[in-house]
């Protein structure tokens, strides 16, 4: 695989961490009033996040050369594409719990914080395993191929957030109030502190993202084991996930065949990882980058052509992937969630 031997100095890691923290702070301050994020606002924020991700590649090009930048862009693209699949599940989780549109950004914001932390751990552990034990490449590769297969054949499987073991554990050990209290995660009811249904939704988002984190980190480690490139590609792709959700959530029905493209990318990453430990060796980065761009383009064009004339449901929380519609959620589905989340 492409290991790119350059090592980023500690001050570069520190500067990048500060920059990410500043960007997250700006985002939080801009949405501190918990307003409903419209398409135009989401488009502007998404454009800004994507521009930041692309600009960082230019910085890498000037600092470490074209190979490092190309590797970063390949990782960034595959992470960005895989993040769309996160959006499908996030929409279902919000629909299941009946999370009001105005509060979804706060859940996603803290969800992204958790996602960044989880990915940082997985990146260093995964990279170290690949460096120390050569056979780990075969294990990770087989896992990615299997994950791609499951994504292709089981993509329409219904998600049940209430059955997630982490969510069930929280409900069991933490006093829970089965309703929303504005955008608050913790409130005091009858003299005791309890977590709200919004907090339970956040736990569901974090728990499901752990699965996505394993897939995505394994996929990018198939491209390079340079932890700095893997981390930056992950970070810049994840930072724009919230805005991308509000931009695309109402149009997710149009991406009918995108999961096939993502499945192909995961399988390709698995094959690439396995080949890296064979006489074939690593595939050239231009080939990898070209394959990623081609696969994403074909799956998106195929989806849009097949759904020409169709529209989304018009909102981020309305079950765009076949989950409960907003009216059902407001009446019966919230009751279902509430009934299962009483402390």
């Amino acid at each position: 695989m492409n290991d790119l031997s350059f090592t980023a100095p500690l001050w570069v890691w520190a500067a990048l961490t500060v920059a990410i923290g500043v960007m997250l702070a700006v985002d939080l301050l801009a949405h501190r009033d918990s307003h409903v994020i419209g398409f135009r606002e989401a488009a502007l924020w998404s454009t800004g996040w994507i521009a930041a991700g692309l600009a960082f590649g230019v910085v890498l090009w000037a600092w470490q050369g074209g190979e490092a930048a190309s590797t970063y862009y390949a990782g960034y693209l595959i992470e960005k594409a895989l993040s769309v699949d996160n959006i499908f599940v996030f929409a279902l989780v919000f629909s299941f719990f009946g999370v009001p549109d105005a509060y979804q950004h706060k859940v996603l914001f803290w969800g992204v914080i958790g996602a960044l932390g989880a990915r940082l751990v997985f990146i260093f552990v995964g990279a170290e395993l690949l460096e120390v034990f050569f056979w780990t490449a075969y294990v990770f590769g087989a896992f990615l191929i299997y994950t791609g297969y499951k994504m292709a054949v089981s993509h329409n499987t219904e998600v049940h957030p209430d059955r997630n073991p982490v969510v069930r554990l929280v409900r069991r050990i933490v006093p829970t109030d089965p309703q929303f209290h504005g955008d608050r995660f913790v409130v005091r009811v009858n003299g005791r502190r309890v977590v709200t249904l919004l907090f339970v939704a956040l736990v569901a988002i974090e728990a499901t993202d752990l699965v996505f984190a394993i897939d995505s980190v394994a996929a990018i480690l198939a491209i390079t084991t340079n932890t700095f490139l893997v981390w930056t590609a992950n970070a810049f792709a994840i930072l724009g996930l919230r805005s991308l959700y509000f931009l695309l959530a109402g149009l997710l029905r149009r991406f009918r065949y995108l999961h096939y493209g993502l499945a192909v990318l995961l399988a390709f990453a698995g094959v690439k990882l396995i080949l890296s430990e064979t006489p074939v060796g690593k595939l050239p980065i231009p080939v990898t980058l070209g394959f990623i761009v081609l696969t994403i383009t074909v799956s998106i064009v195929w989806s849009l052509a097949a759904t020409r004339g169709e529209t989304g449901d018009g909102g981020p929380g309305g079950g765009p992937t076949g989950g409960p519609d907003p009216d059902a959620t407001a009446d019966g589905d919230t009751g279902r969630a509430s009934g299962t989340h009483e402390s």
Side-chain angles (χ1 to χ4, degrees), residues 306-339:
T307 57
R308 185 183 296 111
E310 297 182 14
T311 59
D313 68 334
T321 56
D325 60 48
D327 294 333
T329 299
D331 296 326
D333 210 57
T334 298
R336 177 178 57 160
S338 298

Side-chain angles (χ1 to χ4, degrees), residues 109 121 131-132 218 222-223 231 243 262 312 319 336 338 341:
F109 176 86
V121 173
E131 290 294 332
V132 176
I223 298 173
W231 166 240
S243 299
L262 300 180
R336 177 178 57 160
S338 298
H341 289 277

